[in-house]
Amino acid sequence: TFYNFAVNGSGETVTLGAALTTSNNLTITAGTLDVSAAGCSAASCAVSVGGNWSNSGTFTARTGTVTMTGSSKSISGSTTFYNFTKSVGTSDTLTFQAGTTQTFASGGTVTLNGASGQLLVLASSSSPTRWAMTVNGSQAVSYVNVTDSDASGGNLITQTNSTNGGHNVNWDFDETAPTTSDDYGAKDGNWQNANQTITLTPADADSGVASTKYCTDSSNACDPASGTSYTAAVTITTEGTTYFRYSST
């Protein structure tokens, strides 16, 4: 285990013979860090970084795994990883240098996980300039809050339980609001001499409908967002003009 680990030799290669752990920063300024299988039980030696990752040289990932364990850390420079893991149980931020590209190779897996109510924030070092990620392998992305990410160079990022912080490309956030229809049809705008029942049908083919709410008034000004949750057909019993407004999320 090292505190800081640095590679800084133009034309030189540092080849690992055992797993590498740093409690602070890993920096490749010049030269190559090669994750070799020599001395490791797996196909490649694992790398665990407790601080920041900085690469302006060459990182030979082979089939190894890089795990970032520290909190409020950053990735600088452009790197190709095979397996990459950042998983947290409490809220944390991983900052990517704006204008750089992190590539996750075919056959490997990128894992970016927060937890329920404890999101992992993925952010640019200089918003709104994007940081790029190219995912060519598998992915496990959940409970993240991502901003300024351009993933257009690779596979669509399929997240779960995550928040779209905005200015993202090629993430599968559902940006289309649900549609809601009613069965009142031709009776709308016409006087009726009996109680009127209205049934709503909300739909969202992408992520489903979280809730549908409605409100009624005589001025067509009420806000359904602060109205009553829709659970069954609604019967209007008030005489005179009644406006029935609804919305779904």
Side-chain angles (χ1 to χ4, degrees):
T1 300
F2 298 85
Y3 181 69
N4 291 315
F5 186 90
V7 177
N8 188 11
S10 181
E12 300 296 323
T13 298
V14 175
T15 302
L16 297 183
L20 172 63
T21 299
T22 72
S23 56
N24 201 42
N25 300 332
L26 187 150
T27 304
I28 308 171
T29 303
T32 300
L33 175 60
D34 187 347
V35 182
S36 172
C40 297
S41 58
S44 299
C45 297
V47 177
S48 178
V49 181
N52 300 318
W53 173 283
S54 178
N55 177 25
S56 54
T58 300
F59 177 67
T60 303
R62 299 189 185 275
T63 55
T65 299
V66 173
T67 302
M68 295 195 70
T69 60
S71 60
S72 298
K73 301 306 178 184
S74 65
I75 295 179
S76 301
S78 297
T79 300
T80 296
F81 300 95
Y82 188 74
N83 295 315
F84 179 90
T85 298
K86 174 66 176 179
S87 294
V88 299
T90 57
S91 298
D92 196 9
T93 298
L94 181 60
T95 301
F96 295 84
Q97 182 183 4
T100 63
T101 301
Q102 312 311 316
T103 301
F104 304 94
S106 177
T109 301
V110 53
T111 302
L112 298 167
N113 290 331
S116 179
Q118 304 290 333
L119 299 185
L120 172 62
V121 176
L122 307 176
S124 169
S125 64
S126 183
S127 182
T129 302
R130 288 188 174 105
W131 57 278
M133 61 185 298
T134 299
V135 178
N136 297 318
S138 301
Q139 53 187 282
V141 181
S142 65
Y143 293 106
V144 302
N145 182 342
V146 58
T147 305
D148 300 320
S149 172
D150 182 355
S152 61
N155 299 331
L156 176 72
I157 308 301
T158 54
Q159 51 70 40
T160 57
N161 300 307
S162 297
T163 299
N164 182 4
H167 203 219
N168 298 304
V169 179
N170 206 35
W171 286 71
D172 72 339
F173 291 109
D174 179 8
E175 302 294 343
T176 303
T179 60
T180 306
S181 59
D182 62 65
D183 65 347
Y184 204 58
K187 292 190 292 183
D188 189 18
N190 297 312
W191 288 104
Q192 309 295 324
N193 62 0
N195 292 342
Q196 298 298 298
T197 299
I198 302 173
T199 300
L200 299 180
T201 303
D204 189 324
D206 293 326
S207 59
V209 177
S211 69
T212 298
K213 292 187 175 184
Y214 69 92
C215 63
T216 60
D217 67 6
S218 60
S219 60
N220 200 22
C222 67
D223 181 6
S226 57
T228 303
S229 294
Y230 177 82
T231 57
V234 178
T235 300
I236 307 297
T237 61
T238 305
E239 292 186 4
T241 300
T242 297
Y243 291 96
F244 183 80
R245 297 164 62 89
Y246 53 83
S247 65
S248 298
T249 58

